[in-house]
Amino acid sequence: EEVTPTDEGKGYVIALRSLGTNNETADYLLTADSITSGTISAVGRGVEQQGWRYYTTAANKYFSVGYGDNNVIGYTLDDAGIFNESGKMVFERMDCMSPAYNNNFIAIGAPWGGGSYNCTLQLIDVESVSVQKEVVHPIYSLGVKDTLNKWPTTALVKDNKLYVSFYPLHGATWKTPQTDTAYISIFSYPEMAYEKTIKDTRTGPIGFYGNSPAMILNEKGDLYTVSPNSYAAGYTQVTKSSGILKVKAGESEFDKNYFFDVEAKSGYKVLTACYAGNGKAVARVVPDQKAEVLGGWTAFKVTVPNFKMVVLDLEN
């Protein structure tokens, strides 16, 4: 599910979801020396997690965030490759997590079921595994007649600002009637005060539910965004091509000269992407026709093997 190189040179830390014979699942944190050869297995290894989890990492620690039991567990990795618990906290809502600067990570709680349009932006201290700062604020408001929640999809810190991508949806029905614009709201960091929202109509909203990576940074500080515009990602309508936008290092607007129309060039809907270095990203994609025929939310169904992993050349 998620692969992170370790600083100790022991290979990789992997968050693994296993699938049982009756489609039951279990989550594990484990290490592996290689992800290109051999077999990765949780049998007799790693730490089993309680229920479904999200994961993030910061300052050489690994964090398991509960989906149902609402707790965060911090782990360190010793020289023998054993996970040791290094702190624990409870929370009200965490739906979007990302590493940040200064030994912190960002966690955003979104409003479920409609109701409030506020989100809770939380700065989590890595050492104490506790909330250092909390700000309650709408990610973005379209105006007094706006009836859509803004669901946060990815958060990251660039040029000492907090960037939060989101997609508009009806919080009670999960319908997405507005899919013709990409949005990023920008906050100060670490104050987390709202500054502005940038938009681009060449593609649709960035990311989707589930904390999958939808914004990435390269070595130069350029930011790239992923817009799936796909029923497979839970969208209930599709109005724009799936593609990638860019915000240059030192700037805070979308680059008008850059649009990687992944769907037009390949026939794929691009769902998520992780930066691999040297201008390349590893992405999860689904053929356009498959995305529509299979219907909604298939990006989350581990029994539907219609997705592919590809390498994207972001610069070319």
Side-chain angles (χ1 to χ4, degrees):
E1 187 172 88
E2 182 170 327
V3 176
T4 304
T6 69
D7 291 334
E8 292 86 352
K10 295 183 181 301
Y12 301 88
V13 169
I14 298 175
L16 174 71
R17 178 164 297 151
S18 67
L19 178 65
T21 54
N22 295 316
N23 289 339
E24 72 275 10
T25 61
D27 279 19
Y28 297 86
L29 269 179
L30 62 143
T31 59
D33 293 330
S34 173
I35 57 172
T36 58
S37 63
T39 300
I40 297 173
S41 172
V43 176
R45 303 183 60 200
V47 182
E48 184 173 359
Q49 305 295 302
Q50 295 297 314
W52 284 22
R53 314 290 292 187
Y54 291 138
Y55 302 92
T56 190
T57 180
N60 296 324
K61 288 191 176 184
Y62 305 91
F63 297 92
S64 173
V65 182
Y67 182 85
D69 58 1
N70 287 29
N71 64 45
V72 176
I73 305 172
Y75 294 97
T76 56
L77 195 63
D78 65 20
D79 292 338
I82 303 299
F83 291 97
N84 296 293
E85 190 173 314
S86 64
K88 193 172 184 178
M89 63 170 280
V90 297
F91 60 86
E92 183 175 353
R93 287 228 55 85
M94 286 187 185
D95 301 284
C96 176
M97 287 72 66
S98 176
Y101 295 155
N102 303 326
N103 293 334
N104 298 313
F105 72 86
I106 299 292
I108 303 177
W112 275 65
S116 172
Y117 299 105
N118 288 333
C119 283
T120 304
L121 287 73
Q122 302 157 90
L123 193 62
I124 311 299
D125 178 72
V126 168
E127 293 302 321
S128 62
V129 192
S130 62
V131 177
Q132 178 178 330
K133 185 178 181 62
E134 181 177 283
V135 173
V136 178
H137 197 284
I139 295 181
Y140 176 61
S141 176
L142 297 175
V144 293
K145 294 183 179 180
D146 185 13
T147 60
L148 298 180
N149 294 106
K150 313 302 181 298
W151 194 272
T153 56
T154 301
L156 58 79
V157 176
K158 167 182 131 62
D159 299 329
N160 295 313
K161 302 289 185 183
L162 172 63
Y163 283 61
V164 180
S165 61
F166 62 88
Y167 73 121
L169 55 80
H170 279 302
T173 65
W174 291 87
K175 291 184 178 180
T176 56
Q178 186 176 325
T179 57
D180 59 354
T181 304
Y183 301 93
I184 298 176
S185 286
I186 302 175
F187 297 78
S188 63
Y189 179 84
E191 299 82 7
M192 297 189 295
Y194 176 79
E195 293 187 354
K196 67 176 181 178
T197 298
I198 60 176
K199 312 173 190 179
D200 197 302
T201 58
R202 289 174 291 179
T203 185
I206 298 161
F208 59 97
Y209 174 83
N211 198 48
S212 297
M215 293 195 295
I216 56 178
L217 286 172
N218 67 8
E219 299 89 345
K220 297 180 289 187
D222 299 324
L223 180 152
Y224 294 91
T225 68
V226 174
S227 293
N229 251 352
S230 172
Y231 294 108
Y235 284 49
T236 57
Q237 70 169 14
V238 172
T239 54
K240 292 290 178 72
S241 187
S242 175
I244 295 174
L245 299 170
K246 177 181 180 180
V247 179
K248 290 182 180 179
E251 299 184 7
S252 61
E253 299 288 343
F254 287 110
D255 183 352
K256 297 184 183 302
N257 297 315
Y258 183 96
F259 176 44
F260 183 176
D261 192 334
V262 176
E263 186 172 348
K265 291 179 178 293
S266 68
Y268 288 124
K269 300 277 190 177
V270 57
L271 301 180
T272 64
C274 293
Y275 192 61
N278 298 319
K280 306 296 192 301
V282 177
R284 186 179 184 217
V285 300
V286 59
D288 179 31
Q289 66 275 17
K290 287 284 188 181
E292 315 316 323
V293 170
L294 291 173
W297 300 108
T298 48
F300 300 93
K301 296 178 181 177
V302 295
T303 56
V304 183
N306 289 288
F307 302 92
K308 297 180 182 295
M309 303 298 290
V310 302
V311 175
L312 301 176
D313 188 336
L314 299 173
E315 296 180 0
N316 297 315

